[in-house]
Amino acid sequence: MTNAIPDRTVPFERDDGVLLVGGIPADRLAERVGTTPFFAYDRTLISERVSAVRAALPEGIRLSYAVKANPMPAVLQHLSRLVDGFDVASAGELREALNSTMPAEHVTFAGPGKTTPELRQAVAAGVTVEVESENELARVREVGDLLGVRARVALRVNPDFAVRGAGMHMGGGPQQFGIDAERIPAVLAAVADAELGFEGFHVFAGSQNLDAESICEAQRRTVELIVKLAAAAPGPVRYLNLGGGFGIPYAARDRPLDLTPIGANLATLMDTAIRSELPSARVVIELGRYLVGEAGVYLTRVVDRKESRGRTYLVVDGGLHHQLAASGNFGQKIRRNYPVELAARTGDASNETVDVVGCLCTPLDLLGDRVSLPAARIGDLVAIFCAGAYGLTASPTAFLGHPAPAEVLV
Ligand SMILES: *Cc1c(COP(=O)(O)O)cnc(C)c1O
């Protein structure tokens, strides 16, 4: 099995076979950074991706960025000028979001298990709390009373349907996320009772979906559900977060998501049910990996090259402690290689099959399983793509005590 590298999974440019990040040759960038391994994110690729999404979605749809995908402060600062909102899932992310130029009223706070101190910070900041349980609603109310602030709330709904095709399901059936749709009328009565600013609803049914039709179906069913639930709301629905779940191709056989049918479907929903039933709603699509995932690369150097009983191992100075997802241990059902190249020789013919392994003392630390590469030498830079989302902050950096990698936005 070899890893054919289709260009579509790797949007980076090259110059004379050398990978460019933000227009800078990767080996030169490594000198500038001064250390390997490191993560490099290309700001032009991020901007282009946001533009492509905007072009595909109908007018009036707001675009929110799910900060957990990549919370690097420079990335947030860059995105704060490009998207309409940030969705955070912890007080730490909240602080970083508020450090950017994004106004607090365009920040939403989702996630189960929000502590009362976190709720106090959110209410004091004036962001919208996406309430995940009835207990949480009661605590938001207490916090609002205590601070003398009318807390802004939206209800996160666990829908009565699941989405086909999602890599990770976060809605439908029993869930730790959101409030079951059938409980929502009672919860809306409690919202009406309290001194709370009711904003609207949030439904996020699943992530890493490459099937446009199932995303469209989820959006249709979400609007249908929210129209029904809105009948019991204490005021007009001002905020309707339809979720996102747009997936990116990680492995060679993944087909990129086609945004055209999604845009057409949203246009229809905007012109029909949303216009007639939810006319005051800011309609939001919330994306994480789709905006940043393909704009990042993890660069690591070959430290050792060894043969063992017919297999060739390239041992690199990075590993799963920085980029867990590339090892297949972050939510993947089957391990598949992320695209791998030799950063300074992307144009050379691949003439050997190697295993790219990290420096951790565990067989889990496999970054490339039997990949085809040009013959690599010790000191070569290896580029592992799709590193812009769920990379560094989704990895066990303390494992084995190696230093943390650098991160740059170029
Ligand atoms: C994680 C998460 C996202 C982002 O998911 P992606 O797959 O990165 O797009 C969006 N919304 C919520 C509520 C999330 O928890």
Side-chain angles (χ1 to χ4, degrees):
M1 189 189 74
T2 55
N3 180 24
I5 302 158
D7 280 337
R8 59 172 169 75
T9 65
V10 182
F12 291 88
E13 296 194 358
R14 295 113 210 280
D15 179 26
D16 201 17
V18 179
L19 175 72
L20 302 178
V21 184
I24 302 174
D27 41 0
R28 180 74 179 267
L29 181 62
E31 292 301 328
R32 181 183 117 175
V33 172
T35 161
T36 54
F38 65 97
F39 285 87
Y41 314 119
D42 188 318
R43 70 173 81 232
T44 304
L45 291 180
I46 295 174
S47 301
E48 286 173 359
R49 181 51 70 97
V50 172
S51 301
V53 173
R54 294 245 190 237
L57 300 187
E59 212 173 313
I61 297 276
R62 318 287 172 105
L63 187 58
S64 175
Y65 173 61
V67 170
K68 81 171 187 284
N70 187 331
M72 185 200 186
V75 168
L76 291 188
Q77 189 56 44
H78 183 63
L79 279 167
S80 67
R81 289 185 284 258
L82 301 177
V83 301
D84 306 304
F86 282 155
D87 191 65
V88 301
S90 71
E93 289 186 1
L94 174 64
R95 189 171 304 135
E96 289 305 339
L98 295 172
N99 278 344
S100 77
T101 54
M102 184 63 72
E105 55 273 27
H106 296 163
V107 175
T108 50
F109 186 5
K114 298 182 197 76
T115 64
T116 301
E118 284 180 311
L119 292 173
R120 285 176 72 143
Q121 291 169 58
V123 172
V127 307
T128 296
V129 177
E130 302 193 311
V131 175
E132 305 258 356
S133 78
E134 294 173 60
N135 172 292
E136 190 175 292
L137 182 71
R139 287 188 293 125
V140 175
R141 177 184 186 167
E142 280 167 24
V143 164
D145 288 347
L146 187 82
L147 301 182
V149 174
R150 193 174 163 85
R152 297 151 69 103
V153 298
L155 300 183
R156 177 155 175 196
V157 182
N158 176 27
D160 47 5
F161 58 86
V163 195
R164 291 177 293 114
M168 234 183 249
H169 287 275
M170 295 173 77
Q175 286 291 345
Q176 73 263 50
F177 308 108
I179 300 168
D180 292 347
E182 52 278 21
R183 289 289 308 157
I184 293 288
V187 176
L188 285 168
V191 172
D193 229 28
E195 278 299 293
L196 291 169
F198 173 70
E199 290 288 316
F201 298 98
H202 177 204
V203 177
F204 182 74
S207 105
Q208 182 49 23
N209 199 332
L210 292 171
D211 177 14
E213 189 36 53
S214 72
I215 290 174
C216 293
E217 185 191 329
Q219 290 171 343
R220 286 192 295 269
R221 296 184 70 170
T222 297
V223 170
E224 205 176 294
L225 174 64
I226 297 305
V227 164
K228 251 192 300 174
L229 297 177
V237 174
R238 284 192 286 259
Y239 170 76
L240 172 56
N241 185 332
L242 296 175
F246 297 12
I248 61 172
Y250 286 101
R253 67 179 165 82
D254 287 345
R255 300 269 312 275
L257 180 64
D258 182 3
L259 294 185
T260 310
I262 298 174
N265 184 61
L266 285 171
T268 304
L269 290 170
M270 291 290 276
D271 287 344
T272 55
I274 292 172
R275 176 176 301 182
S276 61
E277 309 290 333
L278 305 164
S280 330
R282 282 174 282 122
V283 182
V284 175
I285 294 292
E286 173 184 78
L287 302 176
R289 77 186 74 212
Y290 196 79
L291 300 185
V292 293
E294 292 170 87
V297 59
Y298 179 61
L299 289 154
T300 176
R301 235 180 251 292
V302 178
V303 172
D304 201 356
R305 181 192 161 97
K306 59 186 281 190
E307 310 289 328
S308 170
R309 301 194 171 127
R311 276 175 83 156
T312 302
Y313 292 86
L314 300 182
V315 187
V316 295
D317 60 2
L320 72 76
H321 54 313
H322 300 159
Q323 183 42 346
L324 181 68
S327 76
N329 292 293
F330 185 69
Q332 293 93 332
K333 291 177 189 111
I334 305 162
R335 192 198 173 286
R336 296 179 303 161
N337 287 329
Y338 281 24
V340 178
E341 295 182 17
L342 295 187
R345 288 194 278 142
T346 68
D348 291 9
S350 296
N351 53 10
E352 63 178 17
T353 298
V354 296
D355 290 290
V356 179
V357 297
C359 60
L360 300 191
C361 204
T362 162
L364 296 178
D365 199 2
L366 175 62
L367 300 174
D369 180 14
R370 286 162 289 180
V371 294
S372 291
L373 290 177
R377 298 177 285 259
I378 290 173
D380 279 349
L381 262 187
V382 175
I384 301 170
F385 294 94
C386 298
Y390 307 109
L392 176 56
T393 59
S395 300
T397 44
F399 190 34
L400 275 108
H402 291 287
E407 268 184 311
V408 291
L409 174 66
V410 196

